[in-house]
Amino acid sequence: MKIFKAVLITLFLIITSETYSYELVSDTGKAHTDTLKGKAEKPEAKKTEWYQRINLRGYAQLRYNRLLETNPDLQCEQCDKSWGGDGGFFLRRLRLVLSGQITDRLYIYIQPDFASSPDGTNNHFGQIRDAYFDLGLDSKNEFRLRFGQSKVPYGFENMQSSQNRLPLDRNDALNSAVSNERDLGVFFYWAPEKIRERFSYLVSSGLKGSGDYGVFAFGAFNGQTANKNEANDQPHIVSRFTYPMQIGKQIIEPSIQAYTGKYVVTSITSGVSANPKGEYKDQRAAASFVLYPQPFGLQMEYNIGTGPEYNTVTNTIEQKRLQGGYVLASYALKFNKQVVFPFVRYFRYDGGKKFERDARTYRVRDFEIGTEWQPVKNFEVVTMYTISKRRFEDAVKPLNDQEGRLLRIQVQFNY
C-alpha cells in the first residue's frame, strides 16, 4: 500500500508540474518563481537596433519622346531635357530611398537620384534629392519639425511623387515656383493621427495621393531651390493648409498655400539689364482641389503671383505678374489585378521662370491625353500624346515661339 501511495503521489506531481509553477526560496531568503517543464519562461524581447528599422526601396523611369514628333525645336528644359533636339532614350529617374522610424520621435528620409543631368548634355550624375530628419514633438508625432532638404509644401502636384503621378511631367504653372520641388530649410507639420493614416492610405491604395505633408505646414527655406547655395541670406516663408475629407465612398482634398521671399537670378546673359545683385520679389498663392479616382478623378490647381521675368523688348529682367494652372481628369479601371488609368490634362502658364537663363519668359498652352497601365505592381507603362504651344524667350533666343505634337512613352520599375 505504501508503494502504491508513493506511485500515486509521484504521478500527481508529474501531471501538475505540466501546468503549474511553484515558488522557491533561495538560501539568502530571496523569493523567485521557478517555471517547470511545459511552462517555459517567455524569452526577453530582442532589442531592435536603429539600423534594423531602415527600409530600402526605389524606382526607375526610362523614356522615349521622339515618336510622331512634328517639331524638334519644341523643348521643355524644366520638365524633360530629352524633349526635341537630338534626344533619344532617356533615363529620367533612378532613385533609391532610405527611410525609417529610427526611434519613437526620429524619422529619417534620404533619397539620391542617379539620373541627374546638371547641364542637359551629361547624364547619370548622382545628386541628393531629399535628405531630411523629422523630429516628433509629441508621442503620436502629430506635431513634427523637419530639418534638411525636402519638398517645399506648395502645390498638390509638386508634393505628389513622380512614382505616383499620371502625367509624365509636372505642370509649368506651379512647378515653376520651386525647381525640383525642393529646398533646404526647416518646416513644421501638424496632422491628427487619423488624417496621417488617411494620407498614407491615399498613396498605398493606388489613389495617387501626395503623401503626408501635414494638414497645416509652416516653414522657412533658402529660396534658391534644391542643391544651390543661398544667395541673399533672406529665407523664404511658406505655409499650406490641406484636408482630405471622406464623403461617403469618395475622398476630396481642398488646399490653399502661399509663400514669399526674394530670389536672386544667378544666370544672366551679358548685356541684359537687371536689378542690383539680380534680386527680385518672389511671391505666390495657390488653391488646389482633388477628387480621388474612385473611379472618376478630378484634379485642379491655379496660382498667381509675382517674380522676375525677361522682357524681350527692353532686354531687361523685370518684376512682373505671373499666373497659371491646370485641370486633370482621370478614370480608374481595374480587371484581373491590372489597373489602367486613362487621363487628360490641360494647363497654361504666363510668366517667368526664375531659375532659367535671364528668368526666361514663358507663354504655355499644353493639352495631353494618355494612359497609365499597371500589369503588375512593380511595372508601369505610360503613353501620352502631347499637343503643345510654347513661347520661351531669353536674350540668346528672343524670338522663340514653338508649337508641335509628339507621342511620349515611359516604362517604370518599382522596387
Side-chain angles (χ1 to χ4, degrees), residues 127-226:
Q127 190 178 68
I128 289 293
R129 279 292 179 264
D130 297 279
Y132 63 80
F133 310 87
D134 281 2
L135 180 65
L137 302 180
D138 65 294
S139 59
K140 294 182 178 180
N141 291 322
E142 294 181 336
F143 298 85
R144 294 169 289 152
L145 283 176
R146 176 166 296 176
F147 303 84
Q149 180 167 292
S150 66
K151 288 183 176 178
V152 175
Y154 182 81
F156 177 88
E157 196 177 71
N158 283 355
M159 299 295 96
Q160 192 181 36
S161 171
S162 299
Q163 188 176 17
N164 300 324
R165 190 183 62 251
L166 287 173
L168 294 184
D169 297 301
R170 294 180 174 88
N171 71 96
D172 292 59
L174 278 85
N175 198 226
S176 56
V178 187
S179 177
N180 290 319
E181 307 84 51
R182 296 164 170 86
D183 209 334
L184 190 62
V186 178
F187 304 94
F188 167 79
Y189 292 109
W190 167 78
E193 183 178 27
K194 179 180 178 180
I195 303 303
R196 293 201 68 188
E197 292 173 355
R198 186 170 296 168
F199 282 134
S200 178
Y201 167 76
L202 290 171
V203 175
S204 62
S205 63
L207 291 177
K208 308 297 183 182
S210 66
D212 184 357
Y213 293 88
V215 168
F216 174 74
F218 181 83
F221 59 101
N222 280 343
Q224 292 299 122
T225 70

Side-chain angles (χ1 to χ4, degrees), residues 29 41 93 160 175 180 205 252 276 278 283 285 300 365 374:
E41 283 188 358
R93 291 176 177 87
Q160 192 181 36
N175 198 226
N180 290 319
S205 63
I252 65 171
Q283 297 176 333
M300 300 180 291
R365 305 288 186 270
Q374 303 175 15

Side-chain angles (χ1 to χ4, degrees), residues 18-61:
E18 296 292 330
T19 55
Y20 293 92
S21 61
Y22 61 94
E23 187 174 77
L24 297 176
V25 180
S26 65
D27 292 338
T28 60
K30 180 180 178 181
H32 65 279
T33 299
D34 187 12
T35 304
L36 300 178
K37 181 180 178 181
K39 190 70 174 181
E41 283 188 358
K42 293 182 179 180
E44 292 185 5
K46 191 174 181 180
K47 182 180 178 181
T48 303
E49 299 294 342
W50 67 269
Y51 51 81
Q52 295 175 308
R53 300 185 181 186
I54 294 178
N55 300 311
L56 176 63
R57 61 180 178 83
Y59 66 103
Q61 297 173 341

Side-chain angles (χ1 to χ4, degrees), residues 94-141:
L94 179 59
R95 299 190 176 179
L96 289 173
V97 178
L98 291 164
S99 63
Q101 192 74 39
I102 302 304
T103 68
D104 292 341
R105 298 288 186 90
L106 178 62
Y107 175 82
I108 70 168
Y109 189 99
I110 300 173
Q111 178 180 215
D113 184 14
F114 298 97
S116 297
S117 179
D119 58 4
T121 302
N122 299 295
N123 298 326
H124 309 155
F125 282 75
Q127 190 178 68
I128 289 293
R129 279 292 179 264
D130 297 279
Y132 63 80
F133 310 87
D134 281 2
L135 180 65
L137 302 180
D138 65 294
S139 59
K140 294 182 178 180
N141 291 322

